[in-house]
Amino acid sequence: MTTADSIADSDEASRARQEMVDKLVASGMITSGDVERAFRTVPREVFMPEGTDLAAAYNPDDAVAAKRDEHGRIISSLSAPFIQARMIEQAELAPGMSVLEIGSGGLNAALIAEVVGPGGRVVSVDIDPDITTNAGAALDAAGYGGRVEVLLADAEHPVPDLDEVDAVIVTVGAWDIPPAWTGPLAPDGRLVVPLRMNNVTRSIAFGRVGDHLESTSLEVCGFVPMQGDGEHHERVFELPDPRGGAVKLQFDVTPKDLSPLDGVLAKPRTELRSGVDIPRGVSFADLHLWFASFLPGFCRVAAGEGTELAEERRWFPFGTVADDGSFAYLAIGPTLEGIGDEFLARGWGEGDAGPALVAQIQAWADAGRPQPDSVAFWPNGGDRDLPKGAVVLEKRHGLVTISWPAAP
Ligand SMILES: C[S@@+](CC[C@H](N)C(=O)[O-])C[C@H]1O[C@@H](n2cnc3c(N)ncnc32)[C@H](O)[C@@H]1O
């Protein structure tokens, strides 16, 4: 490559970077001046796996895979710009702060380093030596080597010799909150973590209140799951489809007996209307968390290749099973009047699953389509004055409570 070529390349990258930031600002994903400046400065292309084109590197909405396991599943990625921006803003960083990042890649650490400035400190920890090696090399190449310390460790456990930090930003999907993340956090610090709550993940910013953590903000997100000692597997149950393939149901809270579901996909199809409309362009992500909070038998649904469900359009991967062996999932379709869409419960097997799903869609709508008032984490061993009426999820290191403005 000639010097003229590399100048042309960097001009193109710089244009792509500014266009991406313009979009993130316009969509409200970046609201802080410091974060905007960081995103306009850090050259994302330097951190990308070889062969990544600029369009992928600067797509505001998508992550770029960095490593896959032997089954082809992504186990490391450079996170999507929109969620990197949201999480850095959730952490309320300011110049001079010190930050612990869990899960490396170099890119997010460079963005954090830009926000906290030369007087700040960034420590980034990853469990995978390939990732720490690549992250270290990319940080050096982009000029952040002296400002970010990259460590190889399982972040389920405390990082040795770490002083108090102003923020911990977890960039890997977590099912729990180990003491290793709260221990080094300053009294007024922020822990930002993509937390899985009964199969639904939100990036939650927590602050300390007494001996527990209270949320200050929630963002919709998806992350590769934690590996190592903090790994958590939800139970997966397969429903064979008579056409071939299988529909997989993933449970965090597993019903006592799943055997009544045997052969359910050979039973008659069902469809129930909810009468609850879906305003155009309005997110209904809060309904998923409502299901995770209140819908008995709640599960995540994945349709394997060849199944009838895989060919269907307009459904969402959230469902429920009932003791009578029926199964229903969230779908949408035109209203009876033909104006706009409404939520449906589609499924197999006459029984309680469809009516239970519809009842919770209606309860959420009747409550004013709310989002949770707050999420809290109550570590083991502390006083537990749990909020009245809150949904309680048991974790290994404590309890998570979700408080809604109006519970059904
Ligand atoms: C989404 S990637 C990190 C993205 C990155 N921060 C960026 O710059 O966009 C998640 C990372 O978490 C790492 N990880 C998974 N389990 C871990 C653990 N127990 N401790 C530390 N890192 C872990 C994975 O190896 C993976 O590289």
Side-chain angles (χ1 to χ4, degrees), residues 44 48 62-64 77-84 107-108 171 223:
R44 298 184 74 82
M48 294 291 150
D62 284 340
V64 173
S77 60
L78 280 322
S79 303
F82 88 89
I83 194 64
Q84 289 179 323
L107 177 47
N108 195 51
T171 65
F223 272 86

Side-chain angles (χ1 to χ4, degrees), residues 266-278:
K267 290 184 181 167
R269 300 254 15 199
T270 58
E271 180 176 287
L272 293 178
R273 292 181 170 279
S274 68
V276 174
D277 69 330
I278 307 159

Side-chain angles (χ1 to χ4, degrees), residues 157-394:
H157 306 291
V159 177
D161 305 322
L162 184 73
D163 294 336
E164 187 174 270
V165 293
D166 299 297
V168 176
I169 303 183
V170 183
T171 65
V172 60
W175 181 82
D176 204 350
I177 299 181
W181 302 349
T182 48
L185 194 63
D188 56 352
R190 288 281 176 269
L191 165 66
V192 181
V193 51
L195 187 64
R196 217 150 68 242
M197 296 164 289
N198 195 10
N199 270 313
V200 176
T201 304
R202 292 290 177 270
S203 167
I204 306 181
F206 286 107
R208 287 185 194 280
V209 178
D211 59 1
H212 71 281
L213 303 172
E214 281 277 349
S215 65
T216 55
S217 62
L218 269 73
E219 294 287 344
V220 175
C221 67
F223 272 86
V224 295
M226 177 109 167
Q227 306 165 42
D229 291 343
E231 188 171 349
H232 176 85
H233 291 288
E234 282 85 359
R235 179 165 172 204
V236 176
F237 188 79
E238 292 202 358
L239 304 176
D241 188 315
R243 293 176 169 204
V247 171
K248 287 186 183 169
L249 308 184
Q250 181 173 295
F251 296 94
D252 194 11
V253 182
T254 314
K256 273 199 282 309
D257 184 10
L258 288 168
S259 62
L261 282 168
D262 289 344
V264 65
L265 298 191
K267 290 184 181 167
R269 300 254 15 199
T270 58
E271 180 176 287
L272 293 178
R273 292 181 170 279
S274 68
V276 174
D277 69 330
I278 307 159
R280 216 173 255 275
V282 178
S283 162
F284 51 87
D286 294 320
L287 176 60
H288 309 156
L289 198 51
W290 180 278
F291 284 156
S293 298
F294 300 117
L295 181 59
F298 176 70
C299 55
R300 264 198 110 90
V301 182
E305 227 174 281
T307 58
E308 188 178 340
L309 190 54
E311 283 162 27
E312 207 172 297
R313 288 174 178 274
R314 313 195 81 196
W315 62 278
F316 298 89
F318 303 100
T320 181
V321 299
D323 292 344
D324 55 26
S326 54
F327 160 57
Y329 56 90
L330 181 68
I332 60 176
T335 61
L336 273 179
E337 300 78 35
I339 304 163
D341 286 323
E342 69 174 303
F343 292 109
L344 309 171
R346 305 197 77 222
W348 282 265
E350 296 284 350
D352 293 340
L357 192 73
V358 163
Q360 289 308 330
I361 297 168
Q362 291 169 342
W364 176 69
D366 290 347
R369 305 182 188 227
Q371 55 186 30
D373 279 338
S374 72
V375 176
F377 181 75
W378 307 79
N380 292 336
D383 285 343
R384 284 184 171 163
D385 189 9
L386 301 185
K388 282 204 175 52
V391 175
V392 180
L393 305 176
E394 280 186 36

